[in-house]
């Protein structure tokens, strides 16, 4: 492999990497743009609708915490079964 071939491959790899990173950046920009619009729309919601949304988020957080607690208890029970 000559020096010319080495640089040709190196620059080709850099081009592919830059193109892939650009795709990631475009996707992240689109996500931030959508989140910003969602925040704006939520800010314009009526107080009762905002309260309902917040309650829905709290209920989801409670359900996730309960699931984590159940999984942790199962792990505890499994670990303790080997101590007997």
């Amino acid at each position: 492999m000559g020096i010319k071939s080495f640089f040709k491959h190196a620059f080709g790899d850099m081009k592919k990497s830059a193109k892939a990173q650009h795709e990631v950046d475009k996707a992240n920009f689109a996500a931030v743009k959508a989140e910003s619009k969602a925040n704006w729309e939520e800010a314009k919601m009526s107080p009762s609708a905002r309260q309902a949304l917040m309650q829905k988020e709290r209920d989801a957080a409670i359900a996730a915490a309960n699931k984590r607690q159940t999984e942790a208890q199962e792990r505890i029970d499994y670990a303790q079964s080997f101590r007997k």
Side-chain angles (χ1 to χ4, degrees):
M1 177 198 260
I3 192 85
K4 188 176 183 180
S5 174
F6 171 78
F7 281 110
K8 185 176 181 179
H9 289 303
F11 285 115
D13 289 344
M14 287 190 318
K15 183 178 179 181
K16 288 178 189 174
S17 179
K19 191 172 190 173
Q21 185 60 45
H22 180 67
E23 292 297 319
V24 170
D25 292 342
K26 281 181 11 183
N28 283 333
F29 180 76
V32 168
K33 187 177 176 182
E35 289 170 346
S36 178
K37 185 171 182 164
N39 289 339
W40 174 251
E41 293 299 327
E42 287 175 351
K44 295 190 304 183
M45 290 171 66
S46 67
S48 61
R50 188 173 305 139
Q51 286 177 350
L53 176 66
M54 290 173 62
Q55 184 61 44
K56 182 180 170 185
E57 290 172 355
R58 285 191 295 264
D59 291 343
I62 290 170
N66 288 338
K67 182 181 177 200
R68 287 177 32 221
Q69 185 178 6
T70 302
E71 291 171 352
Q73 187 60 48
E74 289 172 358
R75 288 174 48 207
I76 291 168
D77 295 341
Y78 179 74
Q80 287 179 345
S81 70
F82 288 104
R83 290 188 0 193
K84 295 178 182 177

